[in-house]
Amino acid sequence: MSQNAAPVADRDDVFEEELVAALADETLHLIVLPTEQCNFRCTYCYEDFEIGRMTPDTVQSVKRLVGRRLDSLQQLNLSWFGGEPLLARTVVEEISSFIVDEVGARPGVRYSADMTTNGYLLDVARAESLARLGVNSYQISLDGPQAFHDTTRLRADGGGSFRRIWQNLISLRRSDLDIRVLLRLHLTPSNISQMREFAPEVRDTFLCDSRFSVHLKAIERMGGPNDEEIEVLAHETRAQAQRELGALLRTGDAARGGARREAACYAARPNSLVIRANGTIAKCTVALNDPRNTVGRIMTDGTLHIDGSQVAPWVRGWGDQDWAAVKCPYASLPQAGQQLLQLGPPRLAGSAR
């Protein structure tokens, strides 16, 4: 076999591993939005904030869903998203407390929970409380040093957010909590020069602690009201900036052990679902306003009413090993009515267990 053929074989092996994980019926990944309101108004945000806090009835439905599925699971992963999930902290706590109790009675089930938060409300006391409920991994975004960050990651009242987020991060680093914090550094044409100075500060402040890591992420146009005004990095410029800043961080690809292997997006996995604050079921946290992203609804008894025809476009890439489709199914999502190659009827069609 030639040297050029080996990477192809490796890629095929990785795809098969991803396929097995995506179709594993004993694994369930739920992305829960306890509220779709936010205390920030980031200039590049794509959300419309029309849906509020999850109602008590929907909270009970989520708990019933988990209760129904746990006996058939080996692994449950829960991701908290928003809006800003900490604006509905009591919802997070109620559902998390229920899951911790239920999983405690089932030693064969592995449970993990993470949260995407802007970090403004994540002080040590809240992190301690959440850690007791199994939430011990966070993703928090920074747009650069304070002078730049405070022009893009604005609070809803128009004020800046950097100082409080930074203070919270420092407090978390000084704590002895068993947590993981992924700092996502956003890159734009306007902040690259400032990032060259900011990256070493982030490195020296946080990356001496193995609980912290960094991911360099270029801002994209994601369908928000300010899309036409958003400047984005060209592909070549983006790659160069990521290499340069990665070297400054001395971490390669963001303190995560070098280059990351290809992986399927959660939205392409049949065993991953988004539960919105109003009880509708989606596949993608980016395409919240796209009707193609509404695939069903959670019922009062905890069952899921899933429209198989709506799910099929999201999982279309598995049948013909289409890496582009499984890495980002939304990027080329077929229009309604377009014929699709399917693996068969989606396992989640109808009322799920």
Side-chain angles (χ1 to χ4, degrees):
M1 180 179 291
S2 70
Q3 291 182 345
N4 291 334
V8 174
D10 291 344
R11 202 165 185 249
D12 290 345
D13 290 343
V14 171
F15 190 92
E16 184 174 351
E17 291 176 15
E18 290 289 305
L19 174 61
V20 170
L23 299 181
D25 200 36
E26 67 275 11
T27 298
L28 178 63
H29 178 211
L30 297 177
I31 304 172
V32 181
L33 282 64
T35 179
E36 298 188 31
Q37 295 298 306
C38 190
N39 52 342
F40 279 23
R41 289 297 183 271
C42 302
T43 57
Y44 44 77
C45 186
Y46 55 86
E47 298 193 38
D48 59 19
F49 314 113
E50 290 187 2
I51 299 174
R53 183 187 184 95
M54 186 174 280
T55 66
D57 286 345
T58 303
V59 170
Q60 291 302 315
S61 296
V62 174
K63 292 160 62 175
R64 290 176 183 132
L65 166 63
V66 173
R68 281 175 169 272
R69 288 299 312 273
L70 272 180
D71 285 336
S72 65
L73 294 179
Q74 295 179 13
Q75 183 169 329
L76 172 63
N77 307 116
L78 185 63
S79 297
W80 295 103
F81 197 76
E84 168 49 48
L86 290 178
L87 288 179
R89 182 168 52 91
T90 57
V91 173
V92 175
E93 291 173 341
E94 180 176 350
I95 294 174
S96 297
S97 180
F98 172 83
I99 294 175
V100 168
D101 288 345
E102 293 294 310
V103 170
R106 297 170 175 84
V109 179
R110 300 187 303 275
Y111 172 57
S112 65
D114 59 82
M115 179 179 289
T116 298
T117 171
N118 56 41
Y120 196 79
L121 300 174
L122 187 63
D123 56 23
V124 170
R126 286 190 175 91
E128 288 177 341
S129 175
L130 290 170
R132 289 192 291 270
L133 296 173
V135 183
N136 53 20
S137 182
Y138 298 93
Q139 177 176 286
I140 299 172
S141 296
L142 296 169
D143 284 5
Q146 182 173 358
F148 188 89
H149 176 104
D150 282 349
T151 67
T152 54
R153 293 189 72 78
L154 300 165
R155 302 197 310 263
D157 63 9
S161 63
F162 180 90
R163 184 175 296 277
R164 182 161 170 178
I165 297 170
W166 191 263
Q167 290 173 343
N168 283 342
L169 290 170
I170 292 290
S171 297
L172 291 173
R173 192 207 66 196
R174 289 173 176 167
S175 76
D176 60 359
L177 288 170
D178 183 15
I179 59 174
R180 297 292 179 269
V181 179
L182 174 62
L183 298 174
R184 192 163 86 163
L185 302 187
H186 287 155
L187 308 180
T188 72
S190 301
N191 75 352
I192 291 298
S193 61
Q194 296 179 63
M195 279 295 187
R196 293 189 181 101
E197 298 180 2
F198 187 57
E201 183 178 3
V202 170
R203 176 196 67 207
D204 295 342
T205 305
F206 298 109
L207 297 188
C208 55
D209 188 325
S210 62
R211 297 174 297 172
F212 286 78
S213 60
V214 175
H215 176 56
L216 300 167
K217 172 65 176 176
I219 288 294
E220 306 275 8
R221 298 186 182 99
M222 308 297 283
N226 299 323
D227 264 13
E228 293 183 1
E229 303 170 14
I230 296 174
E231 295 182 351
V232 298
L233 290 166
H235 181 74
E236 291 185 2
T237 305
R238 177 182 311 184
Q240 179 180 349
Q242 289 172 328
R243 286 193 299 270
E244 179 182 353
L245 293 172
L248 290 173
L249 290 162
R250 293 204 303 262
T251 60
D253 183 35
R256 304 184 73 173
R260 291 183 293 173
R261 77 171 201 172
E262 291 184 297
C265 174
Y266 63 87
R269 296 174 180 266
N271 56 14
S272 178
L273 295 170
V274 178
I275 303 179
R276 299 189 63 176
N278 63 358
T280 59
I281 304 298
K283 290 294 291 174
C284 176
T285 59
V286 172
L288 293 178
N289 296 323
D290 191 323
R292 296 172 296 175
N293 192 31
T294 299
V295 301
R297 185 167 189 83
I298 189 168
M299 311 307 287
T300 56
D301 63 356
T303 59
L304 298 175
H305 184 271
I306 301 293
D307 184 338
S309 65
Q310 287 288 94
V311 171
W314 293 97
V315 300
R316 69 190 184 280
W318 298 109
D320 54 358
Q321 195 164 321
D322 183 349
W323 264 115
V326 301
K327 287 169 68 175
C328 184
Y330 185 50
S332 57
L333 195 68
Q335 297 299 318
Q338 186 171 338
Q339 293 297 311
L340 299 166
L341 174 66
Q342 296 187 35
L343 294 174
R347 294 293 299 274
L348 292 168
S351 295
R353 291 174 297 173

